[in-house]
Amino acid sequence: MINNIIDIKNNNKDFPYYNKNPYISKIGWLILLLSVLISLICYFVISDYSEILGSIFFCGIMLIPLLYFSNWNLNLLFNKPTKNELKLAFLMFISYIIYALIMYQLLDLFGLTSPSTDLLSVTWESVLGLIFSMMGEELLKFIPLMFLLRFFYQFSERKDVSLVFASIIVLTTFGLLHYNFQGYLIEPILIQGFGSIFELYGYVKTKNLIVPYLSHLFTDAFIMIIMLLGL
């Protein structure tokens, strides 16, 4: 049942790392998880001076050690997207926009939304920085997802079940990272957190990080440009 929903069997390419494919030691995983934390800190510090530079460091600090522990095999992470994969990325972008609009309406109906202050911080430099920061956000989800998939798989030996538990934790955490300590906590968890299920599906379907990256890039670029144009 779960396999049918997430469509794992439709792609012969497997998830990397979780089943020693390739093997990453405990020290290696520690370094990768620390890179996630360090990249976030660097992003917030450096972005005060340059959003583009902050985005580059945010992405690079995670990407370089991940490639190192992948034996510099780019195909474990990225592949040139096919025409169908590009269509899927665009479909996931549209799906997220529809989901977010519906969810905002439902949260607003119950008085669970907070006034947005994002417009004050959005610039054209922010839009350009998305080229790097969106890959950074995908790696921010991908590294813990693969670690948790490996962790749960060791006990269950069920890839599908392990993926479900790992996904719930990662999506919830990703939503919490968007909480600005104003308004209701449920809003970022449902909008940015579980809204990322569309990008996650894009990766699960293709095992190609370019697909969720493009979907995420389309989404944030679209929203930021709309805000900048005051539409």
Side-chain angles (χ1 to χ4, degrees), residues 117-169:
T117 58
D118 290 342
L119 182 59
L120 301 175
S121 59
V122 173
T123 64
W124 286 109
E125 184 183 7
S126 305
V127 177
L128 188 58
L130 291 176
I131 296 172
F132 304 99
S133 63
M134 291 301 94
M135 180 54 72
E137 290 200 15
E138 289 310 308
L139 294 174
L140 187 74
K141 292 179 285 186
F142 176 75
I143 292 173
L145 181 68
M146 292 301 104
F147 172 77
L148 290 169
L149 178 59
R150 172 185 178 274
F151 176 80
F152 289 121
Y153 185 76
Q154 287 182 320
F155 297 99
S156 68
E157 296 187 352
R158 289 282 304 277
K159 182 171 61 176
D160 50 359
V161 174
S162 300
L163 180 62
V164 169
F165 282 108
S167 299
I168 291 172
I169 295 172

Side-chain angles (χ1 to χ4, degrees), residues 14-24 76:
D14 199 6
F15 298 106
Y17 315 117
Y18 80 98
N19 194 22
K20 300 180 180 180
N21 53 328
Y23 172 74
I24 297 180
L76 282 175

Side-chain angles (χ1 to χ4, degrees), residues 21-142:
N21 53 328
Y23 172 74
I24 297 180
S25 67
K26 292 179 180 179
I27 295 297
W29 279 114
L30 178 60
I31 292 172
L32 287 174
L33 293 174
L34 282 175
S35 76
V36 172
L37 178 60
I38 293 170
S39 68
L40 278 171
I41 294 172
C42 287
Y43 176 73
F44 288 122
V45 172
I46 299 174
S47 291
D48 287 339
Y49 304 95
S50 170
E51 290 197 47
I52 294 178
L53 192 59
S55 298
I56 292 173
F57 273 87
F58 176 48
C59 177
I61 288 172
M62 289 181 284
L63 182 58
I64 292 173
L66 185 59
L67 288 175
Y68 172 79
F69 290 114
S70 303
N71 299 314
W72 305 103
N73 183 0
L74 285 172
N75 290 332
L76 282 175
L77 307 171
F78 312 109
N79 291 282
K80 181 180 178 180
T82 65
K83 185 182 295 186
N84 285 337
E85 287 177 339
L86 291 174
K87 290 179 181 178
L88 178 62
F90 186 75
L91 177 61
M92 293 301 98
F93 152 63
I94 296 298
S95 299
Y96 172 77
I97 295 298
I98 295 172
Y99 166 85
L101 288 173
I102 294 173
M103 194 57 63
Y104 271 122
Q105 290 298 319
L106 289 174
L107 290 172
D108 189 56
L109 183 65
F110 292 99
L112 296 174
T113 56
S114 55
S116 176
T117 58
D118 290 342
L119 182 59
L120 301 175
S121 59
V122 173
T123 64
W124 286 109
E125 184 183 7
S126 305
V127 177
L128 188 58
L130 291 176
I131 296 172
F132 304 99
S133 63
M134 291 301 94
M135 180 54 72
E137 290 200 15
E138 289 310 308
L139 294 174
L140 187 74
K141 292 179 285 186
F142 176 75

